[in-house]
Amino acid sequence: MLVGIGLMPHGNPVLEPPDEETERLAEVLRRIGGEFRDADSYVLISPHNVRISDHLGVVLAENLVSWLGFEGKELPGEWKTDRELAEKIYRAEKEAGMPVVDLNFAALSGEYSRWPLSWGELIPLQFLERKPLVLMTPSRGVSRETLVRFGEILGEVLEREEKRVALIISADHGHGHDEKGPYGKVKESEEYDRLIMKLINEDRLEELLSIPEDLVRKALVDSYWQMLIMLGAMRKAEFELKASAYACPTYFGMAGALWVRK
Amino acid sequence: MLVGIGLMPHGNPVLEPPDEETERLAEVLRRIGGEFRDADSYVLISPHNVRISDHLGVVLAENLVSWLGFEGKELPGEWKTDRELAEKIYRAEKEAGMPVVDLNFAALSGEYSRWPLSWGELIPLQFLERKPLVLMTPSRGVSRETLVRFGEILGEVLEREEKRVALIISADHGHGHDEKGPYGKVKESEEYDRLIMKLINEDRLEELLSIPEDLVRKALVDSYWQMLIMLGAMRKAEFELKASAYACPTYFGMAGALWVRK
């Protein structure tokens, strides 16, 4: 059963909040961790792990190992894959004709079946109790409809599951919020981030599908594709927003949101 | 232009040969390294990197970083991807309808575009001068004909290329050579390894295609699929065998072979 969803950022500032806004965001992230303390497993979708143009990925490797921090912020640790659930999800997506690949590394099982983690996973994981994971990767080169359908099939698998599973969406939003940032100041970043928070807070997530492609592209976001997967999964049960927050302490926008099953 | 091919094992014993047979194998590996000293880039196909059931992979990540040694044998180092060549290969395979995915990690370019290496790549690389690489991964779940066709397309891209490129096939053979080994003693391992050396030494590589599926499976090999890709690439020019050797100091068979363009 899908017990709830956490939308979580992966920027270093949430680890040591530099201002009150970011502190409020970190508080929402801690609340997500508290809410899902009773879950059996997490499904974690991250945009900073494997990136494939036109296929989504489901990691089957048994051991998930910290490998790559951002700007020197190393967050060591190892997690286990919930392999049974990962295989169920991969098979269901594959049978439904989704563009998906299973991902292993080095060996097919045992201690050498390992997979590297980046800040995209490691930062959300800092707020979550250690549990088995299914790590999945979105793709920017497949259609919006396919991403939503992929999420629906994921939701169906989770609904049939006896385990209590929480879905964690790792996402940062517009990256053009600071003239001195690596992408400069881009008005679309502010526009996109404001819209996303509106859709979250006003329970209008279905409208994600009508955001213009041009806005997504110009806003330099890192969130849209995995949020469409989230939308698909959320269609399979009723969820209630329990908390949300937004902060933009540097050049990119970060959002946290917690939905729990009604 | 494809200047030659090196078939190289990835077992730790070649690094410190425990017997004369393995020393002769290591000598062939050093000769491969010497022969390809003038190459501009290598295409390296490894069975111990990403493993995907039904898709081959082309790594586009810019930085290839040592990550995983076997039995504690760490071999640190970083290599650069020949991204231009990697993209050409990926696009050509994709346009030909091959089941292939491009592989990046964390970021699409720059210092955070990184990819982990295992012993499957690191051991052959110990014998080769440091040059830009295109790292590719085979797949056991696609047909023999597709693997050969994939190799032909690879060969065509390399033939059109101005750069001098060497193809390196990382492969170990039967894994059932020792009663005390992890897979026990399996008569098919000896049969397969003997046959492979015959096909190499008697210039009968086309006969790889008639090896029974049952033998490949029972022999517990780690070589067959990438050798079919090699076969396809070798069809695109004339090559001459310059050296070969076989050794089996532990439970798995290792072969080295050097072909250069006629």
Side-chain angles (χ1 to χ4, degrees), chain A residues 48-55 67-71 94 101-102 104-108 112 114-116 119, chain B residues 48-55 65 67-71 94 101-102 104-108 112 114-116 119:
Chain A
H48 286 299
N49 200 270
V50 163
R51 300 176 69 148
I52 300 175
S53 296
D54 58 1
H55 281 71
W67 190 50
L68 185 58
F70 193 66
E71 290 180 346
K94 191 79 193 168
V101 290
D102 56 341
N104 220 317
F105 186 89
L108 294 178
Y112 291 105
R114 289 162 79 83
W115 196 263
W119 71 89
Chain B
H48 285 299
N49 199 270
V50 163
R51 301 178 67 148
I52 299 175
S53 297
D54 58 1
H55 281 70
V65 185
W67 190 50
L68 184 57
F70 193 68
E71 290 179 345
K94 190 81 193 168
V101 290
D102 56 342
N104 220 319
F105 186 89
L108 295 178
Y112 291 105
R114 289 163 79 83
W115 196 262
W119 70 89

Side-chain angles (χ1 to χ4, degrees), chain B residues 18-111:
Chain B
D19 54 36
E20 275 188 33
E21 203 179 43
T22 312
E23 178 49 42
R24 280 195 297 272
L25 172 59
E27 181 50 39
V28 170
L29 305 182
R30 286 190 290 271
R31 197 166 157 196
I32 292 171
E35 183 69 36
F36 297 147
R37 190 168 291 144
D38 295 336
D40 297 306
S41 301
Y42 311 118
V43 169
L44 170 56
I45 306 186
S46 167
H48 285 299
N49 199 270
V50 163
R51 301 178 67 148
I52 299 175
S53 297
D54 58 1
H55 281 70
L56 296 102
V58 180
V59 174
L60 295 189
E62 285 185 19
N63 305 285
L64 304 166
V65 185
S66 174
W67 190 50
L68 184 57
F70 193 68
E71 290 179 345
K73 186 74 185 174
E74 301 305 331
L75 300 163
E78 287 203 26
W79 285 258
K80 287 283 177 190
T81 289
D82 183 335
R83 188 132 175 188
E84 194 192 345
L85 182 57
E87 283 177 356
K88 276 185 198 170
I89 294 168
Y90 170 68
R91 279 199 304 268
E93 300 287 359
K94 190 81 193 168
E95 280 163 21
M98 293 291 107
V100 63
V101 290
D102 56 342
L103 296 162
N104 220 319
F105 186 89
L108 295 178
S109 61
E111 62 172 320

Side-chain angles (χ1 to χ4, degrees), chain B residues 247-259:
Chain B
C248 189
T250 65
Y251 62 92
F252 55 95
M254 299 190 289
L258 166 64
W259 290 268

Side-chain angles (χ1 to χ4, degrees), chain A residues 84-156:
Chain A
E84 193 193 347
L85 181 57
E87 284 177 355
K88 275 184 198 169
I89 294 168
Y90 169 69
R91 279 199 303 270
E93 300 286 358
K94 191 79 193 168
E95 280 163 21
M98 293 290 107
V100 63
V101 290
D102 56 341
L103 296 161
N104 220 317
F105 186 89
L108 294 178
S109 61
E111 61 172 318
Y112 291 105
S113 168
R114 289 162 79 83
W115 196 263
L117 300 181
S118 83
W119 71 89
E121 303 82 59
L122 294 166
I123 289 178
L125 287 170
Q126 301 308 303
F127 294 91
L128 299 166
E129 279 202 10
R130 193 164 308 224
K131 295 181 190 293
L133 304 178
V134 179
L135 174 58
M136 296 170 59
T137 55
S139 176
R140 295 186 180 194
V142 305
S143 72
R144 295 173 171 209
E145 292 66 33
T146 301
L147 291 165
V148 175
R149 183 70 194 125
F150 188 93
E152 288 178 343
I153 293 159
L154 170 63
E156 287 161 16

